[in-house]
Amino acid sequence: MEIVVLRLGHRPERDKRITTHVGLVARALGARGMILASEDKGVERSIKEVTKRWGGDFFVQIDTKWREELKEWKREGGRVCHLTMYGENILDVIDEIRKETKKEEARIMVVIGAEKVPYDVFEVADWNIAVSNQPHSEIAALALFLDYLQQGKELKTKFEHAQMEIVPKRKGKKVMIKE
Ligand code: SAM
C-alpha cells in the first residue's frame, strides 16, 4: 500500500514546527511522502535531513497545486482519506477502509488541515474520518489514523540506506553509525 500525506493550509509564519512534525510522523509511520500546498523550503530541508541520516526514501513536495494533485490521484484510482473531527468516527469506518485498500497496489492520500479546510475536500474525499469527534491536533490524528490503518505493522519498519540506526536498549542509548 502506498500512503501519501497532503498537508493543507500551512502558514510558514506559524506552522513550521507542526508541519515538520507532520512530515516526521508520516515518515516514521509508513507514509511514502508528504505534499505541502504552500512553499516552505525550511520544512522541506528539515525533513530531508532526517531522511538522509535515518534512511528510507520519504519525499517532500512543496508549493503544489493541491486540487490538481487530488484530482490526478483519484483519476489514477487512488483513495482519499480526509481527517476531520466532523467526519465519521474512525472506529466505524476503519474496517471498510482496510478492506477496500488491502491490495498491495492500493494508494491512499491522507489529507490534514491547519486552518479551515475548503469544503470541496469534504466532497472529494472517499472518507471523512474523525479520530474522536473532538477538536485536537493534526499530528495526533495522523499518527492514530496511520496506526489503525496498518494495525501497528508500521512500527517495525526497517529504513534502508540509513547513516545511523538505533540499537534498542532497555536502558541507555546506543546508536550504530553505518559506513
Ligand atoms: N479549525 C479547523 C477547522 O474547522 O477545520 C481545524 C483546525 S485543526 C487544529 C487542524 C487539523 O487537525 C484539521 O484540519 C484535521 O485534519 C485535524 N484534526 C483535528 N482534530 C481532529 C479530529 N478529532 N479528528 C480528525 N482530525 C482532526
Side-chain angles (χ1 to χ4, degrees):
M1 186 199 303
E2 182 185 18
I3 304 169
V4 171
V5 173
L6 171 62
R7 164 68 158 160
L8 297 181
H10 168 80
R11 297 150 294 187
E13 67 288 353
R14 54 178 288 190
D15 293 327
K16 270 187 199 312
R17 195 173 147 78
I18 293 207
T19 302
T20 303
H21 284 195
V22 164
L24 295 181
V25 164
R27 173 186 169 273
L29 301 188
R32 267 278 294 127
M34 176 176 76
I35 297 175
L36 193 52
S38 19
E39 188 183 3
D40 194 323
K41 289 206 162 58
V43 169
E44 182 187 31
R45 199 179 320 115
S46 304
I47 298 167
K48 281 189 171 165
E49 271 166 24
V50 170
T51 299
K52 190 169 164 221
R53 227 176 294 150
W54 294 97
D57 55 359
F58 189 82
F59 72 83
V60 182
Q61 217 173 292
I62 58 171
D63 202 15
T64 52
K65 293 194 166 60
W66 61 268
R67 281 192 173 88
E68 282 172 26
E69 294 285 341
L70 272 175
K71 212 187 284 173
E72 185 69 4
W73 187 266
K74 290 210 74 166
R75 209 175 48 75
E76 289 173 354
R79 312 304 294 274
V80 175
C81 291
H82 171 218
L83 303 186
T84 167
M85 66 176 177
Y86 303 103
E88 294 177 281
N89 194 290
I90 188 168
L91 295 180
D92 298 330
V93 288
I94 197 68
D95 287 345
E96 179 189 323
I97 299 171
R98 279 202 213 110
K99 203 162 121 205
E100 290 198 23
T101 57
K102 74 168 179 244
K103 288 193 187 129
E104 214 177 292
E105 64 274 17
R107 301 171 78 222
I108 296 189
M109 187 171 281
V110 186
V111 186
I112 51 167
E115 48 187 3
K116 198 165 188 260
V117 172
Y119 195 74
D120 49 327
V121 175
F122 288 77
E123 294 288 322
V124 84
D126 295 286
W127 294 278
N128 290 291
I129 305 154
V131 182
S132 100
N133 292 96
Q134 298 294 320
H136 54 86
S137 137
E138 49 271 54
I139 302 171
L142 177 64
L144 279 164
F145 175 71
L146 291 176
D147 190 56
Y148 270 79
L149 180 66
Q150 300 168 95
Q151 298 178 280
K153 291 188 192 82
E154 78 286 357
L155 298 173
K156 286 273 192 174
T157 304
K158 274 265 176 204
F159 287 79
E160 303 291 328
H161 319 298
Q163 294 173 350
M164 302 165 84
E165 195 177 307
I166 288 171
V167 182
K169 288 180 74 69
R170 187 157 288 197
K171 289 188 183 177
K173 300 180 190 175
K174 187 167 178 185
V175 179
M176 207 159 62
I177 309 293
K178 302 174 114 191
E179 292 298 300

mmCIF file of all heavy atoms in Angstrom, residues 7 82-86 111-117 122 129-139 141-142, ligand 1:
data_model
loop_
_atom_site.group_PDB
_atom_site.id
_atom_site.type_symbol
_atom_site.label_atom_id
_atom_site.label_comp_id
_atom_site.label_asym_id
_atom_site.label_seq_id
_atom_site.Cartn_x
_atom_site.Cartn_y
_atom_site.Cartn_z
ATOM 1 N N ARG A 7 -0.760 17.940 3.170
ATOM 2 C CA ARG A 7 -0.908 18.907 4.256
ATOM 3 C C ARG A 7 -1.423 20.229 3.678
ATOM 4 O O ARG A 7 -0.729 20.898 2.898
ATOM 5 C CB ARG A 7 0.464 19.106 4.895
ATOM 6 C CG ARG A 7 0.631 20.319 5.778
ATOM 7 C CD ARG A 7 -0.168 20.232 7.019
ATOM 8 N NE ARG A 7 0.348 21.095 8.065
ATOM 9 C CZ ARG A 7 -0.367 21.482 9.092
ATOM 10 N NH1 ARG A 7 -1.625 21.114 9.195
ATOM 11 N NH2 ARG A 7 0.157 22.241 10.019
ATOM 12 N N HIS A 82 -9.772 12.014 4.370
ATOM 13 C CA HIS A 82 -9.626 13.342 4.967
ATOM 14 C C HIS A 82 -9.873 13.237 6.467
ATOM 15 O O HIS A 82 -10.945 12.785 6.890
ATOM 16 C CB HIS A 82 -10.629 14.299 4.300
ATOM 17 C CG HIS A 82 -10.730 15.631 4.965
ATOM 18 N ND1 HIS A 82 -11.918 16.305 5.106
ATOM 19 C CD2 HIS A 82 -9.786 16.417 5.551
ATOM 20 C CE1 HIS A 82 -11.700 17.451 5.736
ATOM 21 N NE2 HIS A 82 -10.421 17.540 6.018
ATOM 22 N N LEU A 83 -8.893 13.665 7.256
ATOM 23 C CA LEU A 83 -9.042 13.603 8.708
ATOM 24 C C LEU A 83 -9.683 14.894 9.207
ATOM 25 O O LEU A 83 -9.139 15.978 9.011
ATOM 26 C CB LEU A 83 -7.682 13.383 9.383
ATOM 27 C CG LEU A 83 -6.914 12.139 8.926
ATOM 28 C CD1 LEU A 83 -5.653 11.955 9.777
ATOM 29 C CD2 LEU A 83 -7.767 10.883 8.982
ATOM 30 N N THR A 84 -10.845 14.750 9.815
ATOM 31 C CA THR A 84 -11.595 15.904 10.300
ATOM 32 C C THR A 84 -12.486 15.479 11.457
ATOM 33 O O THR A 84 -13.105 14.396 11.402
ATOM 34 C CB THR A 84 -12.467 16.522 9.179
ATOM 35 O OG1 THR A 84 -13.394 17.427 9.778
ATOM 36 C CG2 THR A 84 -13.242 15.495 8.367
ATOM 37 N N MET A 85 -12.576 16.333 12.456
ATOM 38 C CA MET A 85 -13.418 15.965 13.610
ATOM 39 C C MET A 85 -14.898 15.896 13.242
ATOM 40 O O MET A 85 -15.705 15.367 14.002
ATOM 41 C CB MET A 85 -13.212 16.977 14.740
ATOM 42 C CG MET A 85 -13.678 18.361 14.437
ATOM 43 S SD MET A 85 -13.464 19.373 15.914
ATOM 44 C CE MET A 85 -13.990 20.959 15.304
ATOM 45 N N TYR A 86 -15.262 16.437 12.054
ATOM 46 C CA TYR A 86 -16.678 16.408 11.622
ATOM 47 C C TYR A 86 -17.052 15.097 10.927
ATOM 48 O O TYR A 86 -18.212 14.880 10.582
ATOM 49 C CB TYR A 86 -16.964 17.573 10.673
ATOM 50 C CG TYR A 86 -16.646 18.922 11.265
ATOM 51 C CD1 TYR A 86 -15.489 19.618 10.894
ATOM 52 C CD2 TYR A 86 -17.491 19.490 12.220
ATOM 53 C CE1 TYR A 86 -15.191 20.852 11.460
ATOM 54 C CE2 TYR A 86 -17.186 20.724 12.784
ATOM 55 C CZ TYR A 86 -16.042 21.396 12.398
ATOM 56 O OH TYR A 86 -15.743 22.606 12.963
ATOM 57 N N VAL A 111 -5.457 13.447 3.907
ATOM 58 C CA VAL A 111 -5.477 14.922 3.893
ATOM 59 C C VAL A 111 -5.673 15.441 5.313
ATOM 60 O O VAL A 111 -6.572 14.991 6.029
ATOM 61 C CB VAL A 111 -6.633 15.449 3.000
ATOM 62 C CG1 VAL A 111 -6.554 16.964 2.872
ATOM 63 C CG2 VAL A 111 -6.596 14.793 1.629
ATOM 64 N N ILE A 112 -4.807 16.386 5.703
ATOM 65 C CA ILE A 112 -4.989 17.046 7.003
ATOM 66 C C ILE A 112 -4.876 18.549 6.811
ATOM 67 O O ILE A 112 -4.172 19.039 5.913
ATOM 68 C CB ILE A 112 -3.953 16.583 8.053
ATOM 69 C CG1 ILE A 112 -2.552 16.687 7.488
ATOM 70 C CG2 ILE A 112 -4.225 15.163 8.520
ATOM 71 C CD1 ILE A 112 -1.513 16.559 8.547
ATOM 72 N N GLY A 113 -5.553 19.292 7.666
ATOM 73 C CA GLY A 113 -5.577 20.738 7.533
ATOM 74 C C GLY A 113 -4.726 21.425 8.584
ATOM 75 O O GLY A 113 -4.061 20.793 9.399
ATOM 76 N N ALA A 114 -4.779 22.754 8.546
ATOM 77 C CA ALA A 114 -4.147 23.596 9.579
ATOM 78 C C ALA A 114 -5.246 24.556 10.010
ATOM 79 O O ALA A 114 -5.795 24.458 11.102
ATOM 80 C CB ALA A 114 -2.946 24.333 9.032
ATOM 81 N N GLU A 115 -5.586 25.476 9.104
ATOM 82 C CA GLU A 115 -6.758 26.320 9.340
ATOM 83 C C GLU A 115 -7.955 25.642 8.666
ATOM 84 O O GLU A 115 -7.875 24.485 8.276
ATOM 85 C CB GLU A 115 -6.498 27.724 8.804
ATOM 86 C CG GLU A 115 -5.940 27.706 7.397
ATOM 87 C CD GLU A 115 -5.526 29.078 6.902
ATOM 88 O OE1 GLU A 115 -5.622 30.047 7.662
ATOM 89 O OE2 GLU A 115 -5.130 29.156 5.740
ATOM 90 N N LYS A 116 -9.046 26.393 8.500
ATOM 91 C CA LYS A 116 -10.277 25.808 7.944
ATOM 92 C C LYS A 116 -10.030 25.141 6.572
ATOM 93 O O LYS A 116 -9.451 25.755 5.680
ATOM 94 C CB LYS A 116 -11.320 26.918 7.807
ATOM 95 C CG LYS A 116 -12.714 26.421 7.669
ATOM 96 C CD LYS A 116 -13.687 27.568 7.914
ATOM 97 C CE LYS A 116 -15.089 27.082 7.970
ATOM 98 N NZ LYS A 116 -15.855 27.247 6.792
ATOM 99 N N VAL A 117 -10.481 23.912 6.457
ATOM 100 C CA VAL A 117 -10.271 23.166 5.213
ATOM 101 C C VAL A 117 -11.419 23.471 4.232
ATOM 102 O O VAL A 117 -12.591 23.414 4.617
ATOM 103 C CB VAL A 117 -10.218 21.645 5.534
ATOM 104 C CG1 VAL A 117 -10.201 20.809 4.269
ATOM 105 C CG2 VAL A 117 -9.004 21.339 6.404
ATOM 106 N N PHE A 122 -14.087 17.921 1.535
ATOM 107 C CA PHE A 122 -15.080 17.005 2.125
ATOM 108 C C PHE A 122 -15.805 16.237 1.020
ATOM 109 O O PHE A 122 -16.190 15.089 1.198
ATOM 110 C CB PHE A 122 -16.109 17.788 2.956
ATOM 111 C CG PHE A 122 -15.561 18.333 4.260
ATOM 112 C CD1 PHE A 122 -14.753 19.457 4.282
ATOM 113 C CD2 PHE A 122 -15.876 17.719 5.467
ATOM 114 C CE1 PHE A 122 -14.262 19.963 5.482
ATOM 115 C CE2 PHE A 122 -15.389 18.214 6.676
ATOM 116 C CZ PHE A 122 -14.580 19.345 6.677
ATOM 117 N N ILE A 129 -12.897 11.299 8.101
ATOM 118 C CA ILE A 129 -12.689 10.431 9.269
ATOM 119 C C ILE A 129 -12.351 11.246 10.510
ATOM 120 O O ILE A 129 -11.399 12.049 10.502
ATOM 121 C CB ILE A 129 -11.518 9.461 8.986
ATOM 122 C CG1 ILE A 129 -11.797 8.691 7.695
ATOM 123 C CG2 ILE A 129 -11.290 8.517 10.158
ATOM 124 C CD1 ILE A 129 -10.548 8.228 7.001
ATOM 125 N N ALA A 130 -13.100 11.003 11.568
ATOM 126 C CA ALA A 130 -12.833 11.676 12.841
ATOM 127 C C ALA A 130 -12.101 10.725 13.779
ATOM 128 O O ALA A 130 -12.538 9.598 13.994
ATOM 129 C CB ALA A 130 -14.152 12.106 13.479
ATOM 130 N N VAL A 131 -10.975 11.209 14.278
ATOM 131 C CA VAL A 131 -10.230 10.436 15.272
ATOM 132 C C VAL A 131 -10.709 10.963 16.617
ATOM 133 O O VAL A 131 -10.072 11.828 17.224
ATOM 134 C CB VAL A 131 -8.712 10.616 15.056
ATOM 135 C CG1 VAL A 131 -7.926 9.783 16.056
ATOM 136 C CG2 VAL A 131 -8.327 10.223 13.632
ATOM 137 N N SER A 132 -11.874 10.510 16.991
ATOM 138 C CA SER A 132 -12.761 11.073 18.029
ATOM 139 C C SER A 132 -13.395 12.325 17.438
ATOM 140 O O SER A 132 -12.782 12.992 16.592
ATOM 141 C CB SER A 132 -12.056 11.379 19.362
ATOM 142 O OG SER A 132 -11.755 12.752 19.466
ATOM 143 N N ASN A 133 -14.631 12.611 17.858
ATOM 144 C CA ASN A 133 -15.300 13.798 17.293
ATOM 145 C C ASN A 133 -15.045 15.045 18.138
ATOM 146 O O ASN A 133 -15.917 15.887 18.308
ATOM 147 C CB ASN A 133 -16.795 13.533 17.110
ATOM 148 C CG ASN A 133 -17.051 12.505 16.020
ATOM 149 O OD1 ASN A 133 -17.220 11.324 16.294
ATOM 150 N ND2 ASN A 133 -17.061 12.928 14.768
ATOM 151 N N GLN A 134 -13.845 15.157 18.665
ATOM 152 C CA GLN A 134 -13.441 16.323 19.445
ATOM 153 C C GLN A 134 -12.268 17.011 18.742
ATOM 154 O O GLN A 134 -11.455 16.336 18.107
ATOM 155 C CB GLN A 134 -12.988 15.888 20.849
ATOM 156 C CG GLN A 134 -14.079 15.212 21.662
ATOM 157 C CD GLN A 134 -15.207 16.169 21.988
ATOM 158 O OE1 GLN A 134 -14.973 17.335 22.307
ATOM 159 N NE2 GLN A 134 -16.428 15.693 21.895
ATOM 160 N N PRO A 135 -12.157 18.330 18.878
ATOM 161 C CA PRO A 135 -11.019 19.009 18.230
ATOM 162 C C PRO A 135 -9.712 18.682 18.943
ATOM 163 O O PRO A 135 -9.679 18.637 20.162
ATOM 164 C CB PRO A 135 -11.364 20.504 18.406
ATOM 165 C CG PRO A 135 -12.259 20.559 19.587
ATOM 166 C CD PRO A 135 -13.007 19.273 19.634
ATOM 167 N N HIS A 136 -8.668 18.377 18.169
ATOM 168 C CA HIS A 136 -7.329 18.248 18.772
ATOM 169 C C HIS A 136 -6.270 18.607 17.748
ATOM 170 O O HIS A 136 -6.291 19.752 17.267
ATOM 171 C CB HIS A 136 -7.121 16.885 19.466
ATOM 172 C CG HIS A 136 -7.389 15.668 18.636
ATOM 173 N ND1 HIS A 136 -6.446 15.108 17.824
ATOM 174 C CD2 HIS A 136 -8.504 14.887 18.523
ATOM 175 C CE1 HIS A 136 -6.952 14.014 17.250
ATOM 176 N NE2 HIS A 136 -8.207 13.872 17.647
ATOM 177 N N SER A 137 -5.396 17.690 17.419
ATOM 178 C CA SER A 137 -4.221 18.082 16.635
ATOM 179 C C SER A 137 -4.074 17.215 15.390
ATOM 180 O O SER A 137 -4.344 16.005 15.416
ATOM 181 C CB SER A 137 -3.001 17.926 17.537
ATOM 182 O OG SER A 137 -1.934 17.337 16.848
ATOM 183 N N GLU A 138 -3.592 17.837 14.314
ATOM 184 C CA GLU A 138 -3.362 17.092 13.071
ATOM 185 C C GLU A 138 -2.263 16.035 13.252
ATOM 186 O O GLU A 138 -2.285 14.997 12.607
ATOM 187 C CB GLU A 138 -3.028 18.017 11.905
ATOM 188 C CG GLU A 138 -1.968 19.069 12.132
ATOM 189 C CD GLU A 138 -2.541 20.373 12.686
ATOM 190 O OE1 GLU A 138 -3.236 20.325 13.706
ATOM 191 O OE2 GLU A 138 -2.243 21.425 12.093
ATOM 192 N N ILE A 139 -1.316 16.311 14.134
ATOM 193 C CA ILE A 139 -0.222 15.350 14.336
ATOM 194 C C ILE A 139 -0.775 14.088 15.007
ATOM 195 O O ILE A 139 -0.503 12.965 14.583
ATOM 196 C CB ILE A 139 0.905 15.950 15.209
ATOM 197 C CG1 ILE A 139 1.463 17.224 14.564
ATOM 198 C CG2 ILE A 139 2.021 14.942 15.417
ATOM 199 C CD1 ILE A 139 2.413 17.993 15.449
ATOM 200 N N ALA A 141 -3.948 13.134 15.124
ATOM 201 C CA ALA A 141 -4.931 12.479 14.251
ATOM 202 C C ALA A 141 -4.211 11.621 13.210
ATOM 203 O O ALA A 141 -4.587 10.469 12.957
ATOM 204 C CB ALA A 141 -5.815 13.529 13.578
ATOM 205 N N LEU A 142 -3.145 12.182 12.638
ATOM 206 C CA LEU A 142 -2.398 11.451 11.606
ATOM 207 C C LEU A 142 -1.762 10.194 12.193
ATOM 208 O O LEU A 142 -1.851 9.111 11.612
ATOM 209 C CB LEU A 142 -1.318 12.371 11.007
ATOM 210 C CG LEU A 142 -0.421 11.722 9.960
ATOM 211 C CD1 LEU A 142 -1.224 11.314 8.729
ATOM 212 C CD2 LEU A 142 0.721 12.657 9.555
HETATM 213 N N1 SAM B 1 -10.454 24.834 12.818
HETATM 214 C C1 SAM B 1 -10.163 23.986 11.710
HETATM 215 C C2 SAM B 1 -11.447 23.581 11.005
HETATM 216 O O1 SAM B 1 -12.526 23.984 11.395
HETATM 217 O O2 SAM B 1 -11.352 22.821 10.023
HETATM 218 C C3 SAM B 1 -9.382 22.743 12.162
HETATM 219 C C4 SAM B 1 -8.113 23.009 12.928
HETATM 220 S S1 SAM B 1 -7.308 21.532 13.484
HETATM 221 C C5 SAM B 1 -6.109 22.068 14.649
HETATM 222 C C6 SAM B 1 -6.235 21.127 12.163
HETATM 223 C C7 SAM B 1 -6.432 19.772 11.582
HETATM 224 O O3 SAM B 1 -6.298 18.775 12.584
HETATM 225 C C8 SAM B 1 -7.769 19.501 10.952
HETATM 226 O O4 SAM B 1 -7.882 20.046 9.666
HETATM 227 C C9 SAM B 1 -7.780 17.964 10.930
HETATM 228 O O5 SAM B 1 -7.115 17.453 9.804
HETATM 229 C C10 SAM B 1 -7.020 17.617 12.204
HETATM 230 N N2 SAM B 1 -7.895 17.237 13.313
HETATM 231 C C11 SAM B 1 -8.120 17.916 14.454
HETATM 232 N N3 SAM B 1 -8.971 17.259 15.250
HETATM 233 C C12 SAM B 1 -9.293 16.117 14.610
HETATM 234 C C13 SAM B 1 -10.128 15.005 14.919
HETATM 235 N N4 SAM B 1 -10.799 14.914 16.042
HETATM 236 N N5 SAM B 1 -10.208 14.011 14.014
HETATM 237 C C14 SAM B 1 -9.530 14.066 12.853
HETATM 238 N N6 SAM B 1 -8.724 15.081 12.508
HETATM 239 C C15 SAM B 1 -8.601 16.094 13.371
#
